[in-house]
Structures are given as C-alpha cells and as structure tokens.
Amino acid sequence: MKPISPEAIRTAIAAQRPVVESLFDRLAEGSRAEPGIMRDTYGAGENFAHELIAKHGANEGLQIHRDAAANTYLTWPGSEQGAPCILLGSHLDSVPHGGNFDGAAGVVAGLTVIAALKALGLRPRCDITVMGVRAEESVWFEVSYIGSRSALGTLPNGALEAKRIDTGRDLASHIAACGGDVEALRQGRRELDPATIRAFLEVHIEQAPSLVEAGLPLAICSGIPGNFRYPNARIDGRHDHVGTPRRFRRDAAMAGAELAMALDRLWAEQDAAGIPLAITFGRFHTDPAMHGLTTVPGAFDFSLDVRAYDPAVLSLLEARMLAIISEIEARRHVSFALGPRASASVGMVDPAIAAQLQAAAQSLGLPGTMMGSPASHDAAAFAAAGVPVGMIFVRNENGSHNPHEEMEIDDFLDACALLTSWVADQAA
C-alpha cells in the first residue's frame, strides 16, 4: 500500500469529530460528580467508562477482551499472525472531582486512530490494540500504575492488600468485585509480554499549562519522571500548653514546617542548576482529634511525593531529605515515622519513536516541540518493562486533576492526526 498523504490523514481525522465529541460527552454525563467527574478506581465510575468504551469498540467491529486486572483491550487484528502489536491507550479512572480528559483522552485517541485508518483503507500487518487501563490514579489505593503493572506482571508485592482511601476495602476485593481474577494476579500471571509489543503510545492532556503559555497545540514527550513517595508519614512530639517556653517544646507542626521549607530550598537550588524535579506535600496537618488554639501540636501527619527524570537525582534527593530529618529530630526533640515507601521508575521515552513523531509532525505542518512530563503515566510502567514508549501531550488550559480541564477538540484532533501518521507508517 502506498503511503497515506498528510492531507488524507487530516481529512480522515476531521471526519471523526462528531464521534469524538459524543464519546467525551457520554463519558462526562455518566460520571458527573459536581464539581467535575468521578471515575473512581475499581468503582462505579471507572466501571462505567470501561463498559462505554467496550460497547463502542464492539459496535466498531473490534475484538474486546479483559484481563485479570479488568483492563479492557479493543483490538483491530493485523494480517500477520504473531507480529508484535502496537498498543495505544491510557487510563479511564480519575481523581475525586477530576476532569473529563485526564486519561480518557488517550483511549478516545486510540479509537479515533483506528477509525481513521479503517476509513483510509489501511490493512495493518500487526494487531493495533487500544488499552483502557485500570487504576492509574494512585490517590485511591496509594499504589502507582496498578492496571498497567498488573498486565505486565510487575505489580509490587503487597499491593493487593492496599486499602482504598474511602471504602477501607483492599484492592483484591475491589478487583474481584469488578470481575477480575485476583488469584491470577497473586500468582504473577501477566497478560502482556513486552517481547510481543512493538510500542506503547499514549496521548494525554498536559498537566500544567506549559503549552498554553507557549501558544502550541501539542508536544512530544521527552521523558516521564520517576518518584519516591511516603503516603502516610507522621511526626511525633508532645502535646503541651500554649504557654510552654520554646526550650521545653517538642512541636511536631514546627518540625513539619521546617522539613517543608528545607525541601523547598533544595528544590529551588536544583531548579537554579537546571535540574527539573517536583516536591509535593499533598497532606500536611495536625491531628484533628487533638489540635486547638491553645495546644502545642504533639503529632503531625503528611504525605510526600518527590519526582525527577534521573534516578541519580532521586537518590540524591532522598539521601539529603533523610539527613535533614535527622537534623530536625535532634534539634526539635521529635521523631519522624515515614511509614511505607512507594516508588516508580523513571520512564525513558524511546528516542527513535520521539524522532519519528517529530518527523510526522513536520509533515503534517504541526509543531514538533519536545516537553518533559511533569507527571507520572502508565507509559512509564511499560518503559520499565522494556517496551518502547512514546507520548503526545495536548494543550490544556487549566491543568489536570481539575474539574475545569479545558482541552480544545481541535488540539486533540491534531494529536490524533500525529498518532495516526505514526501508526500508518509502522503498521502498513
């Protein structure tokens, strides 16, 4: 088959606009949370999204399959049996009161690419599969990449016992309730063998308005940060009367504030040196059962997420953090209990795929700027398993994890055109 022209790709993608708009509208209507949407991990909202996508795929003649973790696969079979497949997709869950596009855009993009290529008469050599991934948003179980790592057989030990923050039930029971096979997961069976995957590509809205600032509709990802996390850290001091002199105090709140400011200075130092990273205290509070206007806080709880693009930088940051904590403990006579540690590997984007996407963007008349992801994505789990990965970011006015995400459909269709061009070149 002769190459498909950029003009034909743009026309085929533009024809998909009504379907794209309908899918996003139906996803939003079925998971409204006021404000925003609620596609809770292994809950009613996420289930709704998977059912909607599966029904749409079946109507389009795609083969539908679910794995032990209840991930959804929608496959357009290729002509060469056994050829490594192209995997497109993203997650379908959201944070509480999130936006409609974070994650879901990647699944809708995959379906849009397949529809456009079908309309263009392509007969792919390899399977092209859209994966609706479960449980990417770690806020619910405080475990990263549950769906993708389950599929790849790399789910961390103990993850199935993690409790959902609102129900208190463990991950295993939630997966079972959604039709998954917990025993298969316990045995480490994997749905996806990295050797059988040509590449995993993910379209995602940008998390911070960098593209808005730059006036660009999209960017090609240059890397996905790894992280280390302490979801349930605590500082223990002593509850005292508000009039207690400073020399007697074991103030847990001041110890927490000192750690936060020390890490912020460390971040500023690295930022000035041109080393990108992010440090976030997601929870930061005294004990509500004990705190009050006239009480020196004897307990302080916090969560910490530190992310960077270089494993050596992450190791350095954690070592410096632990040294800072030791100094604070000695000076303020408190003790830190960091609790369970979680981590995710740095996601290395495949340089060949990034270069191919840049070339495709140029042929389509689209900007091919590169941008590092400020956030974690399922693509990082695939990269850690040895699968070549690529990502495309779409301009988004108000950031993600926000009920007011503002992705423009025109920008999304540009990203779909870029992904279609790459898939056509690789699968023809």
Side-chain angles (χ1 to χ4, degrees), residues 30-298:
S31 50
R32 295 252 179 232
E34 303 302 335
I37 57 97
M38 188 86 78
R39 293 196 277 270
D40 52 320
T41 293
Y42 288 113
E46 188 185 49
N47 286 344
F48 160 78
H50 279 260
E51 290 163 6
L52 174 65
I53 293 299
K55 184 175 181 180
H56 174 82
N59 289 340
E60 294 298 309
L62 304 181
Q63 297 176 356
I64 312 301
H65 172 67
R66 290 185 176 87
D67 66 14
N71 294 304
T72 302
Y73 303 85
L74 307 96
T75 298
W76 182 22
S79 60
E80 294 183 11
Q81 189 173 6
C85 74
I86 292 173
L87 201 57
L88 314 173
S90 190
H91 62 99
L92 286 169
D93 60 335
S94 77
V95 299
H97 301 285
N100 193 39
F101 303 118
D102 185 339
V107 179
V108 176
L111 293 169
T112 303
V113 167
I114 288 177
L117 290 174
K118 281 187 170 185
L120 288 164
L122 180 77
R123 179 71 169 104
R125 290 181 295 102
C126 63
D127 289 358
I128 300 174
T129 296
V130 178
M131 182 179 179
V133 185
R134 289 275 186 171
E136 189 266 0
E137 298 291 2
S138 56
V139 64
W140 295 99
F141 287 96
E142 298 179 333
V143 177
S144 298
Y145 311 139
I146 291 170
S148 51
R149 289 203 282 190
S150 294
L152 292 161
T154 58
L155 191 66
N157 291 334
L160 291 170
E161 284 66 58
K163 301 293 195 296
R164 206 173 101 160
I165 58 169
D166 55 344
T167 67
R169 289 168 43 217
D170 64 22
L171 175 59
S173 69
H174 274 274
I175 291 176
C178 295
D181 184 345
V182 174
E183 187 55 35
L185 296 176
R186 290 197 192 282
Q187 293 174 10
R189 291 186 225 159
R190 65 183 183 185
E191 179 71 22
L192 299 175
D193 178 356
T196 68
I197 303 171
R198 161 69 183 86
F200 175 81
L201 277 85
E202 183 172 2
V203 170
H204 204 286
I205 58 170
E206 63 171 336
Q207 282 74 38
S210 300
L211 292 173
V212 174
E213 180 182 62
L216 297 171
L218 55 85
I220 297 158
C221 181
S222 59
I224 303 166
N227 64 55
F228 65 84
R229 290 171 165 173
Y230 292 95
N232 293 290
R234 183 177 178 89
I235 306 170
D236 289 308
R238 184 178 64 211
H239 294 288
D240 278 318
H241 186 277
V242 70
T244 302
R246 192 176 192 278
R247 67 183 181 278
F248 297 120
R249 291 192 180 206
R250 297 170 57 189
D251 189 327
M254 293 299 286
E258 186 171 344
L259 174 64
M261 294 311 299
L263 291 185
D264 190 55
R265 287 191 295 272
L266 178 57
W267 184 2
E269 170 192 308
Q270 299 290 305
D271 199 48
I275 300 172
L277 57 97
I279 298 174
T280 304
F281 288 87
R283 291 189 302 105
F284 198 72
H285 56 88
T286 52
D287 183 350
M290 295 292 292
H291 66 195
L293 178 63
T294 60
T295 300
V296 176

